[in-house]
Amino acid sequence: MYKHILIATDGSELANKGVEHGLALAKPLGAKVTVLTVTEPLSTTALQAAVQGGMDNPLGLYEHQMDEEVKKLSDPIMKKAAELGVTVEVERETDEFPAEAIIRAAKRKGCDLIVMSSHGRRGVSKFLLGSQTSEVLVHTTIPVHVIR
């Protein structure tokens, strides 16, 4: 049914539930998995402050730090995937709009299912806090499996 699943995670406890479900789903399907983490870009203000403070290559340092964070986040995922016999590739995108990055990556990788978690907020709390899951649901034609 599904051959390539994109699992979006930010490393939170809730997102880890989505990772667990996505890997468990991939195993019996024999699907490969791309695990995606979206990091925020370094703000212009922070970049300028770092340069003015004499820091060499602040953007390169920031990117290195984000890569290290994603590696820490992905190590247990890779271990679990290996236990299940699921092929996993880990990717990081930098974008101030995570939903757009998730959809873009899913299309680029040829994924036929997106798995992600949601708090399931409604009404004003959803409006105030925003929901990347809702944004993905609204803007993609790829099926989305939401874990709560």
Side-chain angles (χ1 to χ4, degrees), residues 31-54:
K32 64 182 175 179
V33 170
T34 296
V35 175
L36 176 69
T37 300
V38 181
T39 57
E40 292 184 31
L42 183 63
S43 73
T44 304
T45 305
L47 184 59
Q48 289 172 343
V51 169
Q52 289 174 352

Side-chain angles (χ1 to χ4, degrees), residues 32-112:
K32 64 182 175 179
V33 170
T34 296
V35 175
L36 176 69
T37 300
V38 181
T39 57
E40 292 184 31
L42 183 63
S43 73
T44 304
T45 305
L47 184 59
Q48 289 172 343
V51 169
Q52 289 174 352
M55 183 181 279
D56 289 334
N57 192 15
L59 185 57
L61 178 60
Y62 176 78
E63 290 295 319
H64 176 72
Q65 288 173 334
M66 291 300 97
D67 286 341
E68 289 298 312
E69 288 299 313
V70 171
K71 182 173 179 356
K72 283 185 219 171
L73 167 107
S74 66
D75 283 346
I77 295 170
M78 297 299 285
K79 182 179 177 188
K80 179 68 174 179
E83 289 171 6
L84 294 171
V86 174
T87 302
V88 172
E89 179 181 5
V90 176
E91 290 203 1
R92 177 177 74 88
E93 293 257 341
T94 302
D95 199 312
E96 70 180 293
F97 303 106
E100 291 179 14
I102 291 165
I103 294 167
R104 185 174 57 245
K107 287 179 181 176
R108 179 175 43 81
K109 301 294 286 182
C111 297
D112 48 12

Side-chain angles (χ1 to χ4, degrees), residues 4-23:
H4 192 167
I5 300 171
L6 183 133
I7 303 173
T9 183
D10 61 6
S12 68
E13 188 175 325
L14 179 63
N16 287 339
K17 288 171 70 175
V19 171
E20 291 284 331
H21 280 275
L23 292 175

Side-chain angles (χ1 to χ4, degrees), residues 6 8 36 38 93 95 97-114 116 131-144:
L6 183 133
L36 176 69
V38 181
E93 293 257 341
D95 199 312
F97 303 106
E100 291 179 14
I102 291 165
I103 294 167
R104 185 174 57 245
K107 287 179 181 176
R108 179 175 43 81
K109 301 294 286 182
C111 297
D112 48 12
L113 179 68
I114 298 170
M116 56 192 310
S131 172
Q132 296 306 309
T133 304
S134 292
E135 289 295 313
V136 170
L137 285 167
V138 168
H139 293 102
T140 189
T141 57
I142 299 169
V144 180

